[in-house]
Amino acid sequence: MARRRAILEAMVWLVFLLWPALLAAQSTSPVFLGRTIPFLPPALDASGRTVVLASAVDASGTTSDTTDLYAAAADGSGLRRLTKLAGISFPPQGVNAVSVTPDGARAAFTASLSAAGRSTEEVHLIDVAAGADRTLAVDTEGCIQPLCANCFFYCVNSPHVSPDGSKVLYAVRRQDPFRVVNADGTGLTRLPVYSGALAPSPQRVISRSGLVTFSSSAPSGPTFAASATDVYILGLDGAQLRNVTQFGSDTSIFTSNATISADGGTVAFERNRANDATQIWIARTDGTGLRALTSGEPSQAPSISADGSTVAFVRAGQVYTVRSEGTGLKALTAFQLSAAQDPVMSDDGLHVVFSLGPRSGGRGAIYAVDTDGKNLRPVYAPRALNRDGVNGVIGFSSPSPGSLLSAYGLNLASDTMTTASRFPLPDSLAGVSLLVNGRPAPLVAVTPWQVNAQLPPEMREGAVAVQLRFADGFQPTPAAAPVQAVAPAIFSDIAGGSCQAAALHGGTATLADREHPAGPGEALEIYGSGLGPADPFVPAGTAAPSSPLARTLQPEVLIGGRSAEVRFAGLTPGFAGLYQVNAIVPAGLRAGAQSVDWRVGGVSAAGCATIWVK
């Protein structure tokens, strides 16, 4: 019995808590986390004291369709909103990239804006202290968008303000991509580069002397000879194009995200060969000293100190630094449930700011840390629910009365997972409560980016208001969620794409998997969610009884597309919100993996689920 319970709990936790991360690794996701809240990589001034960032959520937890610009001190104090831009819901609106001058006085940004019913893409320069915003360029040419539903990318991107604030370099997604414009909006020119890419805006790509670094496979025009993607430098005036790297005709070599030291002597960049992990490389701008700084696990997003002596980067969701001669590799962070991205180093190499988000992807906060690994601190970490971010435990399904639900959001707790340890389930965990129509829902677990709870079984079908409440009294803007009478879903382990259902051989603790296939006529116990209220009634947060059994509507069960005899459907004794269906494996199935489905009122189970038969 103990092993059976352990198997069930493992399957429940695997799907309930780790499903989004597993799906992200497979580049496809039947889980709907809601509309994630735009958060952009942060920009940092030379001293490491001023951070300029962009987000679509304000400090009150109110989300918007438009991403606006903010400034704050690196300790999180003095947060100020710099813009209030007009936008529409799609395509993404507002600021899409930002850089800042070394003195922190000016910030350049690109934005997609709405005016007179049409969308435009613009380049801006804003006075950080006064908030005075000047439009430097408006793009009217556009670019070819990808041929897929709801796909979009910005035509105007990667703004980089020159160290003296007199010019802004930016890119467009067209031939001859690099543009330079003066800080007063005059003198818009194209740099003589046929194709290429700039590093993200917070990284330094312009040295004090006006050297620009970028990556390209054809900087001087179309070529009939195959070549690698190399790193180049060019004067901000368009003169003196030359190679930093020369990887030759090996088209499997790619470089990207090249960033230059302020003294103009050193470039750090990403480099990979097709099918190999991306690593951090470094070279002098005269082409000497080329070497890899990292090896092994993929490493990305380099940021280099002003003198070129230190490089920050991310690996496996952590911020690292390494000396430019390849020594002193050091991890600055040790996140468990979160992942660091987009590190930006101060000129003196003593401070790093970076964005933070769930390991499944996305950003939700800006943090800072000193390069000795101390003083980790939030710069901007608003608490909020994702819009449309409340759903059933698996897939796109809505929650149903008595079932488990997930609420996805930002900065809901510290970087740990707190789980309920006893029944009845608590109304508060880690200082967090989840209110459904004002009523606390019993909590199963709390993480920084997700709260798991049981929807009270007496909730009626229809829209409900879901709101978080924290121990300090803070309550961000509530989210609306639809509740369905039933929302069948089967737990499964999707790691490796197996979709192995939480289906046990009857009365055992053994899964009906490849090593232990089920036979025709055998009874299986299949576990999931969403079959609605039970009889007798089981209060929210309490364990289901074993006598009498709490029964629900009996679903139609299909195994391998064939109808299976159902012996029991109801709540699993000893669990809250866990549903169990006992069914007989039909005869005549082909040996191997077979699909499993629950259907209630014509509604099929969410997600994917398979068992193995012999």
Side-chain angles (χ1 to χ4, degrees), residues 230-369:
D230 276 301
V231 177
Y232 294 83
I233 60 171
L234 175 76
L236 193 56
D237 59 2
Q240 298 181 328
L241 172 69
R242 63 183 188 271
N243 288 73
V244 174
T245 66
Q246 298 187 60
F247 293 119
S249 61
D250 190 344
T251 57
S252 68
I253 293 178
F254 301 91
T255 67
S256 59
N257 295 341
T259 177
I260 194 168
S261 59
D263 63 14
T266 309
V267 173
F269 57 95
E270 295 177 13
R271 182 234 195 228
N272 74 301
R273 190 185 299 271
N275 302 318
D276 288 345
T278 300
Q279 302 298 341
I280 307 301
W281 286 61
I282 200 165
R284 300 290 296 172
T285 50
D286 62 6
T288 62
L290 177 67
R291 60 188 175 277
L293 294 183
T294 65
S295 61
E297 287 188 88
S299 302
Q300 295 103 10
S303 182
I304 193 167
S305 61
D307 62 2
S309 65
T310 309
V311 176
F313 62 96
V314 289
R315 171 189 285 176
Q318 310 299 340
V319 179
Y320 284 76
T321 56
V322 64
R323 296 190 186 95
S324 56
E325 70 269 17
T327 64
L329 180 67
K330 179 193 303 181
L332 306 186
T333 62
F335 295 109
Q336 301 176 49
L337 301 178
S338 307
Q341 304 168 67
D342 320 304
V344 185
M345 184 181 292
S346 61
D347 274 13
D348 58 14
L350 297 180
H351 313 284
V352 178
V353 298
F354 57 93
S355 49
L356 192 71
R359 288 191 170 268
S360 55
R363 304 177 181 92
I366 305 300
Y367 271 68
V369 66

Side-chain angles (χ1 to χ4, degrees), residues 141 157-162 167-172 174-182 187-199 205-207 210-216 218-221 232-242:
E141 296 181 56
N157 59 88
S158 306
H160 294 271
V161 61
S162 63
K167 297 180 183 294
V168 174
L169 166 71
Y170 66 97
V172 296
R174 295 188 295 272
Q175 185 177 305
D176 304 324
F178 301 152
R179 309 285 194 270
V180 177
V181 62
N182 293 328
L188 178 62
T189 60
R190 298 184 183 189
L191 292 184
V193 176
Y194 177 74
S195 69
L198 299 169
V205 303
I206 309 172
S207 73
L211 289 178
V212 175
T213 187
F214 64 97
S215 298
S216 178
S220 301
Y232 294 83
I233 60 171
L234 175 76
L236 193 56
D237 59 2
Q240 298 181 328
L241 172 69
R242 63 183 188 271

Side-chain angles (χ1 to χ4, degrees), residues 77-102:
S77 63
L79 179 72
R80 294 178 293 116
R81 184 172 180 169
L82 301 181
T83 64
K84 191 172 181 61
L85 302 175
I88 55 178
S89 60
F90 190 86
Q93 295 287 302
V95 179
N96 56 58
V98 61
S99 68
V100 67
T101 52

Side-chain angles (χ1 to χ4, degrees), residues 43-91:
L44 182 67
D45 73 348
S47 69
R49 297 191 185 97
T50 300
V51 181
V52 180
L53 58 101
S55 175
V57 58
D58 64 21
S60 72
T62 302
T63 62
S64 169
D65 288 320
T66 304
T67 304
D68 275 295
L69 209 61
Y70 295 80
D75 62 2
S77 63
L79 179 72
R80 294 178 293 116
R81 184 172 180 169
L82 301 181
T83 64
K84 191 172 181 61
L85 302 175
I88 55 178
S89 60
F90 190 86

Side-chain angles (χ1 to χ4, degrees), residues 37 57-63 382-386 408-412 432-435 465-479:
I37 301 168
V57 58
D58 64 21
S60 72
T62 302
T63 62
R383 294 172 286 184
L385 280 174
N386 290 356
Y408 297 96
L410 308 180
N411 309 298
L412 310 180
V432 179
S433 298
L434 186 74
L435 310 180
V466 179
Q467 187 171 33
L468 294 168
R469 183 172 64 198
F470 295 89
D472 61 4
F474 179 72
Q475 294 186 200
T477 303

Side-chain angles (χ1 to χ4, degrees), residues 9 24 29 75 125 270 331-332 441 444 475 492 562:
E9 289 180 342
S29 177
D75 62 2
L125 190 66
E270 295 177 13
L332 306 186
V444 179
Q475 294 186 200
S492 65
R562 298 192 179 194

Side-chain angles (χ1 to χ4, degrees), residues 404 419-429 441-445 452-454 540-543 575-577:
L404 302 174
T419 61
S421 59
R422 61 178 62 88
F423 293 106
L425 297 176
D427 291 342
S428 177
L429 275 175
L443 298 183
V444 179
N452 305 321
Q454 183 187 15
T542 61
F575 290 83

